[in-house]
Amino acid sequence: MSGSPDSEIIELDVRTDEMLVNMGPQHPSTHGVLRLVLRTDGEVVSEAVPHIGYLHRCAEKIGENLTPRQFVPYTDRMDYLAGMNMNLGWSLAVEKLLTYDLPDKVRHTRVIIAELNRIASHLVGMGTYGLDLGTFSPFLYAFREREKILDLLEACCGARLTYSYITPGGVTADLPPGWVEQCSAFLDQFEPQIPDYHALLTTNAIFIKRTAGIGIMAPEMAIAYGCSGPVLRGSGVDYDLRRNGHPRYTSLYDGYTFEVIVQRDGSYPKDQVYPAVPTEAVLGDCWHRFYVRMLEVVQAIKLIRQGLAFYQQATGDWGTPIKLNTKLPKGEAYLETECPRGQMGFYVVSDGNTPIPRRVRARSSCFCNLSVVEELCRGCLIADIPAIVGSLDIVMGEIDR
Amino acid sequence: MAEYFAAWFPAGWEFLGYTLAALLQAILLVHVIALGAFVFIWAERKVSGRIQDRLGPTRTGGAFGWLQSLADGIKLLSKEDLMPKDADPLLFRLAPYVAFAAGFAAFMALPFASGWVALHLNVGLFFLIAVLGLEVFGVILAGYSSGSKWALFGAMRQAAQVVSYEVPLGICVVIPLMICGTMDLVAIGDQQRGLFTNWLIFHDPFIFLVFWVYFTCAVASVNRAPFDLAEAESELVAGFLTEYSGIRWSLFFMAEYGSMILVSALAAILFFGGWNGPLPIFSALMDNFSYLAECWWFSTLANLLGVVNLLLKASIGVIAMMWVRWTFPRLRVDQVITMCLKYCVPIAAVCFLGVMVWTALGVPFMNDLLPSQNRALVREGWVHESDQRAVEFLQRLERNSDQGGVE
Amino acid sequence: MIVLLADTGGAAINWHTVMFYVVALAACGFAAMVAVSSNIVRMAFALIVCLSAVSGLLFLAGAHFVAAMQLMVYVGGTVVLLVFGVMLTAQKAFVSMKTTAGDWILGLVVGGTLLAILGQLIFAVPEWRHSDYQARAEAELAAYEEQLKSHIASGQDVTEAQRRRLADLITLARQGHPEETAQIGLALVGVRADRPSPEVAGYSGYLLPFEIVSVHLLVVLVGAAYLARAKRRRKPLLSSGVSTP
């Protein structure tokens, strides 16, 4: 239906009346409280307009009334599926303003924790994507493994969702005794499970039918909309802040080897055996975005394994979190990190001589990723809406802040 | 059965016997659906639980959570019965009953064992398929009268889907019909007596293929995943069920489980020998010991076991549907229709021709390879059986007249 | 169930008759409701019940095949499509039909004509027969068995033709009347089993009407699809403040 050369004229097989449908904010597959207003013509969606703001909690304004360390728990609640990565982004931004340097041990702890949380986040993304497409079982398989990751994170900081573990100046506590062994035991157990997920989703014929060739986003379009993370790399743009970012962030990954999962010259990295790309899949479609996430899980496992080895040999302590009332120097700092959903930037401005920043802003990856919905969903079917929105893997907490 | 009860009453009052028989049959059939739904909802929970690496219900009613369905039922009964402001009150209330009644009506023509059928029609198969298509009307009414756009979408999808899938389903059931030469389900079942090689699924390779097409179409026509577009929860909230709650909602569910049992039982009769077990124990006994063949309790016992056989086969079908549901993602609406028109219809049509050619050319069937089987019985079926009975009758007459002559 | 509702002779209640009146009343009542109701979906619902009741009447008359056909074609197919069409084209949720005086006159003329034709048809039928196939078949079988008994008792041998006829009667008694259905099918492909000489003009079956109807349906479908296709300019984009109903 969308193949008509002039996008202004839509030709319909059988004309029906247009209907304006409200998808959300209470809808099972809008990932929280997204509201999409659909203009439908039978099953065909001629227009989809996202409406946001149902989860707005004034996080940025709160940040202007608290000290940086007090603000850490609020960052947890932005992308609540990857709280550790949010903590990390905020901490690095504040440390950049303070020009604070960290011991080696903190560096490796942060890498391990952030990547562990990335796996947990991608598992939720994968499971709920299955739900969006109408299969329930992969969701529970994903949550079974995610529970174990949450157990590990709980052992670190006592919380399972809103951690506040990584904090400006270091982390709130060292990894508990025996944690490294538990973590590597988990990885050994988890890695053989991944083929199950590929069998249930990635290579499933119906899954491929539902996702391949749907919601195709050209690389230029992805860049133009400011997409990032797996959404950008799913379109074939070779860009990962862990490699291309600010030195303060990339230096965390010094000494680590990992592949940036992106299709280069028509093929994905071949450091391990991954399921083959189906012939129906087009670069930039829902299937590729999903596939990139699945492969990033494998890379994260690799990174954690290296991190655990580095951590055991690392010198120094687990850092000294800054004092609650540490005065911020006059100036500003902006730093972006590679979160599971894309590049998450924090911006801090200080007037100097006060512990409370003048301005706090956050750059949300999901916000940009969501903005493509209007263009991707034009002319698709109603059933494709969950497939496309799900493949963008948005978290409303981060968009509305 | 009606005559049996009618004999209890004095002349002129036989109608009471007929009434009693009708009530009894109706009650039995309602219980097939109600108990079937009860058991299969529990089974669905357990099966999905095991598929998903969980236990499912474990506590309700002691072991295995076997009373879970009852708990569900009580919960649904005690739920507030809501009706949206925009709904059409009359149709909104009627829709669940229409869906349930259609599902129930189809059971009238379903034989559970040889001759054990509430309504013995010579066009039983045709009636069943016709009534099966009526259930969609309850769904359409529900979707339309709810006054909700999601419900309307669900109803539209259901209507399109069921109307489309009636075509391949029809072609699929025509094939066993063609082999048996009758639309009488009792006759079709009886023709598959004997060893399991007599089952129509083993008749020839085409019909083996057709069974899978039938199963696909059956899953689609009872609106189960991966074809559950009408209530696709991730797209349409709950489709036509969006505005329903409590007992009305559960009626739709009873209808859905009823249809699942129905199409599975129909598959068992059409392809898997119906109430005949894989080994002909009872008929062998009856053939060899004339005392048993005459004995009423023995034939009743055989029929009872036949019912068990049929329900077991139907259960396997239902469980397979559950297995599919909890494994696959849902197809998109255009893919469901493509599946029907581009795959199911052509495959079924080709198989139809294939079976026709196979039969016309006289290619040996699997049964012909086993000499011990009375293959002619299956091929000639009902008519052959009539022949046998006619011959027996005549023999009996001649014997009688001979004896009469001696005396 | 037909057996169950069969004519029970001098019984206090004749279920067959009772059922006939119940079903006939339902058919008439819901038909009236179709005419009276102004809500189009309620109308469709009443039409469904009316047509199902007609199918019930056919069942009571023993015409199982026609009854099942009625269910499948009218109730399952036509009305579902009707409702489907209404849903797809309705401007708003519940459409009400307003009947003008002209519609009334037109309706009365058409309906009256149909009624007149039907009335004429009713009185044109020479004889109304009871159609309880099962009971008749059983009676026939019993009679023939008696006949054979006396035939054998008189010392004569049974011929192959007689044996064949007995087998046929047994088939009929056990199965109802499969031939009735088969005859309809044969007639549709041009063989009138109920007519002794197919060569006589006018008795050559229904192949031609059947084909004409099929082609006609195809033409209608193609035409409908052509008419329904439409090109349209896209509506202006939704403004962000649109409130949805």
Side-chain angles (χ1 to χ4, degrees):
Chain A
M1 306 267 164
S2 57
S4 156
D6 181 0
S7 67
E8 283 300 297
I9 302 275
I10 34 181
E11 187 179 327
L12 306 145
D13 281 342
V14 174
R15 193 158 60 97
T16 55
D17 275 298
E18 274 193 348
M19 197 148 61
L20 213 55
V21 192
N22 221 351
M23 197 174 195
Q26 294 101 346
H27 187 278
S29 66
T30 49
H31 293 245
V33 286
L34 171 65
R35 172 176 164 222
L36 290 167
V37 178
L38 310 179
R39 188 187 284 282
T40 61
D41 198 335
E43 286 278 341
V44 184
V45 177
S46 54
E47 197 172 7
V49 181
H51 289 238
I52 58 172
Y54 290 89
L55 204 56
H56 182 56
R57 292 151 302 177
C58 314
E60 291 162 335
K61 192 67 193 168
I62 291 169
E64 292 163 18
N65 292 288
L66 297 173
T67 64
R69 267 209 71 190
Q70 285 174 320
F71 186 59
V72 171
Y74 291 89
T75 63
D76 278 327
R77 283 148 180 88
M78 290 188 179
D79 183 351
Y80 42 79
L81 293 177
M84 291 290 192
N85 297 73
M86 294 285 120
N87 298 164
L88 178 65
W90 173 246
S91 305
L92 286 172
V94 172
E95 284 159 12
K96 187 181 171 192
L97 184 64
L98 293 169
T99 55
Y100 204 92
D101 283 318
L102 295 166
D104 228 17
K105 197 160 182 176
V106 178
R107 173 164 87 95
H108 297 304
T109 311
R110 284 182 170 186
V111 169
I112 295 167
I113 296 293
E115 294 300 322
L116 210 50
N117 207 190
R118 188 187 305 278
I119 297 178
S121 168
H122 281 342
L123 281 176
V124 178
M126 182 211 94
T128 52
Y129 196 42
L131 285 185
D132 289 343
L133 298 178
T135 176
F136 200 83
S137 299
F139 176 74
L140 286 161
Y141 282 92
F143 264 55
R144 180 187 66 193
E145 301 305 327
R146 179 173 177 261
E147 283 300 301
K148 293 171 189 162
I149 296 177
L150 295 192
D151 287 344
L152 286 171
L153 296 180
E154 187 183 10
C156 297
C157 63
R160 293 173 71 82
L161 194 72
T162 50
Y163 313 100
S164 308
Y165 179 57
I166 299 173
T167 187
V171 291
T172 52
D174 197 3
L175 296 174
W179 193 90
V180 172
E181 289 73 30
Q182 284 171 22
C183 185
S184 60
F186 163 73
L187 293 178
D188 293 340
Q189 176 266 330
F190 173 60
E191 208 169 3
Q193 310 283 338
I194 292 176
D196 283 358
Y197 301 133
H198 285 309
L200 280 168
L201 290 174
T202 321
T203 56
N204 180 298
I206 297 179
F207 180 84
I208 292 172
K209 279 239 168 231
R210 283 295 306 276
T211 56
I214 303 297
I216 302 167
M217 182 157 56
E220 300 77 31
M221 181 181 160
I223 294 168
Y225 273 96
C227 295
S228 53
V231 177
L232 180 71
R233 290 191 287 276
S235 288
V237 180
D238 192 357
Y239 185 74
D240 188 323
L241 285 173
R242 287 175 288 179
R243 194 191 58 202
N244 307 69
H246 188 271
R248 205 162 246 287
Y249 180 51
T250 51
S251 65
L252 282 182
Y253 289 88
D254 278 348
Y256 287 84
T257 55
F258 67 101
E259 292 279 351
V260 174
I261 301 298
V262 69
Q263 184 167 328
R264 297 188 199 87
D265 307 325
S267 69
Y268 278 96
K270 291 201 171 64
D271 59 327
Q272 286 194 34
V273 181
Y274 301 119
V277 179
T279 48
E280 301 98 312
V282 184
L283 189 62
D285 63 3
C286 295
W287 190 88
H288 277 275
R289 290 194 276 278
F290 178 82
Y291 190 61
V292 165
R293 272 189 206 102
M294 293 299 289
L295 265 53
E296 276 186 7
V297 169
V298 180
Q299 295 302 324
I301 293 174
K302 226 165 105 179
L303 279 169
I304 298 168
R305 286 232 168 88
Q306 296 170 38
L308 290 174
F310 285 136
Y311 172 83
Q312 281 165 314
Q313 296 151 11
T315 53
D317 61 357
W318 41 273
T320 321
I322 58 169
K323 296 244 169 354
L324 275 181
N325 56 355
T326 304
K327 287 205 168 53
L328 297 172
K330 189 174 167 58
E332 57 179 40
Y334 179 66
L335 194 90
E336 286 181 331
T337 54
E338 183 73 25
C339 281
R341 280 166 190 76
Q343 64 192 63
M344 182 74 199
F346 281 100
Y347 182 53
V348 201
V349 184
S350 170
D351 282 347
N353 283 329
T354 160
I356 296 174
R358 178 82 180 140
R359 282 279 179 271
V360 171
R361 287 287 180 271
R363 187 259 184 219
S364 154
S365 53
C366 291
F367 181 80
C368 297
N369 291 350
L370 181 68
S371 62
V372 299
V373 161
E374 201 170 336
E375 194 158 333
L376 287 189
C377 292
R378 192 169 297 153
C380 72
L381 297 172
I382 289 179
D384 291 334
I385 300 266
I388 292 170
V389 175
S391 77
L392 298 174
D393 194 19
I394 51 165
V395 164
M396 291 311 289
E398 191 194 315
I399 295 174
D400 291 342
R401 301 189 284 280
Chain B
M1 189 158 112
E3 284 73 20
Y4 175 73
F5 284 115
W8 285 8
F9 295 93
W13 293 90
E14 286 96 343
F15 72 92
L16 285 176
Y18 290 110
T19 316
L20 194 64
L23 284 178
L24 205 65
Q25 288 176 344
I27 289 168
L28 278 175
L29 285 181
V30 167
H31 278 82
V32 170
I33 304 179
L35 277 180
F38 186 90
V39 171
F40 285 120
I41 287 173
W42 170 80
E44 176 112 50
R45 286 170 176 282
K46 288 305 264 189
V47 168
S48 68
R50 292 294 171 166
I51 287 176
Q52 292 165 354
D53 207 4
R54 345 178 243 119
L55 292 173
T58 50
R59 310 223 170 162
T60 326
F64 314 122
W66 66 280
L67 274 180
Q68 187 63 41
S69 307
L70 187 69
D72 282 347
I74 292 170
K75 183 204 83 173
L76 287 170
L77 277 174
S78 57
K79 245 181 151 173
E80 187 185 354
D81 184 26
L82 290 168
M83 185 162 61
K85 188 167 79 357
D86 288 345
D88 182 329
L90 176 74
L91 296 180
F92 186 81
R93 293 208 176 90
L94 269 174
Y97 302 106
V98 173
F100 184 75
F104 174 68
F107 272 89
M108 282 199 307
L110 184 78
F112 288 90
S114 182
W116 284 22
V117 49
L119 178 57
H120 188 175
L121 293 174
N122 63 41
V123 288
L125 179 57
F126 187 47
F127 175 78
L128 228 143
I129 296 293
V131 173
L132 194 63
L134 294 189
E135 205 188 310
V136 65
F137 195 66
V139 172
I140 291 178
L141 276 187
Y144 198 77
S145 62
S146 289
S148 152
K149 290 171 178 173
W150 296 120
L152 190 59
F153 269 120
M156 261 162 40
R157 285 181 171 191
Q158 175 82 341
Q161 185 182 334
V162 170
V163 170
S164 311
Y165 271 91
E166 255 176 23
V167 177
L169 195 70
I171 303 179
C172 288
V173 299
V174 157
I175 294 169
L177 183 154
M178 187 173 70
I179 296 172
C180 296
T182 173
M183 284 201 270
D184 187 347
L185 284 170
V186 179
I188 292 177
D190 276 344
Q191 286 189 25
Q192 301 175 58
R193 256 183 296 182
L195 263 185
F196 64 91
T197 49
N198 254 343
W199 295 356
L200 286 175
I201 184 103
F202 302 119
H203 184 268
D204 58 73
F206 294 107
I207 200 167
F208 187 78
L209 190 59
V210 159
F211 166 71
W212 298 105
V213 181
Y214 170 84
F215 191 72
T216 312
C217 297
V219 171
S221 66
V222 302
N223 190 21
R224 289 281 294 184
F227 304 102
D228 58 341
L229 296 175
E231 44 176 296
E233 80 285 341
S234 60
E235 298 149 28
L236 304 185
V237 190
F240 67 95
L241 290 168
T242 306
E243 304 296 343
Y244 280 90
S245 65
I247 188 71
R248 294 186 211 290
W249 184 84
S250 68
L251 275 175
F252 276 114
F253 250 69
M254 296 256 273
E256 181 182 325
Y257 279 87
S259 324
M260 277 166 73
I261 301 168
L262 185 80
V263 291
S264 306
L266 190 60
I269 293 174
L270 291 182
F271 297 100
F272 290 100
W275 42 88
N276 301 299
L279 298 173
I281 301 167
F282 277 86
S283 55
L285 284 175
M286 279 161 138
D287 286 347
N288 293 322
F289 301 97
S290 56
Y291 164 72
L292 288 177
E294 305 282 321
C295 182
W296 68 269
W297 62 262
F298 193 74
S299 60
T300 309
L301 181 67
N303 270 347
L304 270 179
L305 286 174
V307 173
V308 172
N309 247 329
L310 183 77
L311 291 181
L312 262 179
K313 287 174 190 174
S315 306
I316 292 172
V318 175
I319 302 270
M321 285 185 193
M322 291 175 188
W323 180 20
V324 169
R325 171 176 175 181
W326 294 106
T327 311
F328 289 125
R330 179 183 302 114
L331 283 165
R332 211 170 50 204
V333 62
D334 60 323
Q335 289 162 349
V336 168
I337 304 296
T338 309
M339 176 96 178
C340 168
L341 297 179
K342 280 199 181 159
Y343 299 98
C344 290
V345 172
I347 294 174
V350 165
C351 289
F352 177 72
L353 290 176
V355 172
M356 218 190 274
V357 170
W358 188 280
T359 317
L361 291 182
V363 183
F365 306 126
M366 193 164 159
N367 287 80
D368 299 334
L369 308 177
L370 295 171
S372 65
Q373 288 294 297
N374 189 357
R375 181 61 225 181
L377 187 78
V378 176
R379 204 175 311 143
E380 298 296 326
W382 203 259
V383 179
H384 184 92
E385 170 120 3
S386 298
D387 275 353
Q388 277 190 334
R389 288 202 180 191
V391 169
E392 279 166 22
F393 176 77
L394 292 175
Q395 281 170 350
R396 208 157 58 235
L397 275 187
E398 302 206 340
R399 216 182 304 133
N400 285 347
S401 66
D402 288 351
Q403 284 163 0
V406 171
E407 282 167 13
Chain C
M1 198 134 301
I2 297 300
V3 182
L4 209 140
L5 300 169
D7 189 352
T8 45
I13 295 180
N14 183 336
W15 274 125
H16 192 276
T17 313
V18 170
M19 289 305 288
F20 174 80
Y21 282 121
V22 168
V23 176
L25 269 180
C28 296
F30 280 97
M33 203 172 140
V34 175
V36 171
S37 172
S38 65
N39 180 321
I40 203 161
V41 180
R42 285 193 186 186
M43 225 184 266
F45 174 72
L47 189 60
I48 291 268
V49 182
C50 174
L51 290 172
S52 308
V54 171
S55 156
L57 284 180
L58 293 170
F59 269 114
L60 283 175
H64 300 164
F65 181 78
V66 184
M69 200 52 134
Q70 166 94 5
L71 276 183
M72 189 150 203
V73 174
Y74 282 100
V75 185
T78 315
V79 180
V80 166
L81 278 182
L82 174 83
V83 178
F84 197 31
V86 169
M87 283 199 297
L88 282 174
T89 53
Q91 298 291 324
K92 54 186 198 304
F94 298 108
V95 190
S96 290
M97 300 254 286
K98 288 181 188 63
T99 333
T100 60
D103 292 336
W104 272 108
I105 293 167
L106 197 67
L108 281 177
V109 169
V110 173
T113 318
L114 187 65
L115 188 67
I117 295 172
L118 285 177
Q120 197 265 339
L121 266 179
I122 291 170
F123 292 107
V125 173
E127 181 198 2
W128 290 100
R129 272 181 316 201
H130 189 263
S131 63
D132 189 7
Y133 288 128
Q134 187 67 45
R136 258 203 300 151
E138 273 166 17
E140 221 171 317
L141 175 66
Y144 196 69
E145 282 179 351
E146 284 306 312
Q147 197 187 325
L148 276 181
K149 257 183 209 166
S150 57
H151 184 79
I152 290 171
S154 66
Q156 287 168 294
D157 281 338
V158 180
T159 63
E160 179 58 28
Q162 279 170 322
R163 197 193 59 75
R164 188 71 247 164
R165 171 140 175 76
L166 180 65
D168 286 349
L169 284 175
I170 289 174
T171 307
L172 292 188
R174 289 179 60 224
Q175 208 181 358
H177 269 236
E179 272 79 352
E180 308 290 329
T181 315
Q183 279 172 18
I184 296 172
L186 285 174
L188 283 181
V189 295
V191 184
R192 286 284 291 271
D194 55 333
R195 300 291 175 187
S197 49
E199 305 84 37
V200 184
Y203 294 131
S204 54
Y206 302 107
L207 186 57
L208 186 64
F210 183 65
E211 288 297 324
I212 290 175
V213 168
S214 324
V215 175
H216 183 227
L217 273 177
L218 182 69
V219 171
V220 168
L221 275 177
V222 172
Y226 177 75
L227 289 178
R229 270 180 96 89
K231 284 187 179 178
R232 184 162 33 142
R233 184 158 287 275
R234 179 184 298 283
K235 292 251 171 73
L237 290 175
L238 284 176
S239 60
S240 56
V242 163
S243 66
T244 52

